[in-house]
Amino acid sequence: RKDRQRKNNEVYQSIVKRISDRTQMINLPEASKDFTGRKKELDDLHEALKKDKKVVISGLGGIGKTALALKYGEQYLLQYQWIHWIAATSPEQITQGLLHLADDLALSKFEKIQERLAHLKVMLNRLPYEYLLIFDGIDREE
């Protein structure tokens, strides 16, 4: 019985993955193949995102914040309709990343960048499905 349940679960996961692969939009760098452990951090991050929708991974440079975010995106891929990664070490990079997202979502172009970003924000707030937007490298709150 357990073997049958396991096989049924494998078939189900395979079907979900095939459907998801055809309908998802993923803009995510590849996670490190050397990433191991940190199951508790991944589980905590997932629970925090289910609860709060906005989560910050913070800490000193080099402790693996980026690797954790990448692994989370890879591990919980099927939880989201789309995932978009934005390099965010400067305001200009953030703006370019958001404009790239607007292009990927086929949003209308506006004469002014700020108008397009405002339209993107409104659209994101209205989406009926789950998505993951990752800003990597923000050093300052402003």
Side-chain angles (χ1 to χ4, degrees):
R1 179 180 174 156
K2 286 183 182 180
D3 191 45
R4 189 171 4 133
Q5 286 177 331
R6 182 186 55 78
K7 286 181 182 179
N8 287 343
N9 189 41
E10 287 174 4
V11 169
Y12 173 75
Q13 291 299 326
S14 172
I15 291 168
V16 168
K17 182 166 179 20
R18 284 193 310 252
I19 291 170
S20 182
D21 285 347
R22 289 182 174 85
T23 61
Q24 282 185 310
M25 178 182 78
I26 306 299
N27 170 9
L28 189 64
E30 190 173 331
S32 171
K33 300 295 182 204
D34 297 331
F35 188 97
T36 59
R38 299 183 78 176
K39 181 174 176 10
K40 181 178 178 352
E41 288 91 341
L42 289 166
D43 292 343
D44 289 349
L45 182 55
H46 185 62
E47 288 304 313
L49 281 166
K50 285 191 328 191
K51 179 182 172 194
D52 296 327
K53 304 294 182 196
K54 295 177 186 176
V55 175
V56 174
I57 301 172
S58 63
L60 297 173
I63 65 168
K65 299 178 297 290
T66 297
L68 183 66
L70 283 169
K71 188 64 175 182
Y72 176 83
E74 180 184 273
Q75 184 170 324
Y76 289 96
L77 192 67
L78 299 178
Q79 302 290 318
Y80 300 99
Q81 186 64 36
W82 57 264
I83 299 174
H84 191 78
W85 182 273
I86 295 177
T89 56
S90 72
E92 294 79 21
Q93 278 189 319
I94 295 171
T95 299
Q96 287 305 310
L98 291 170
L99 291 173
H100 178 72
L101 174 59
D103 289 341
D104 286 349
L105 296 173
L107 293 183
S108 302
K109 302 237 184 218
F110 287 84
E111 197 169 306
K112 294 181 181 175
I113 289 174
Q114 292 306 320
E115 289 176 349
R116 190 159 196 229
L117 293 176
H119 181 63
L120 174 64
K121 183 177 180 180
V122 168
M123 192 278 310
L124 291 175
N125 287 329
R126 292 182 179 167
L127 288 176
Y129 47 79
E130 296 293 320
Y131 63 89
L132 181 62
L133 186 55
I134 301 170
F135 293 89
D136 182 41
I138 294 178
D139 291 336
R140 297 175 309 234
E141 189 174 323
E142 62 275 0

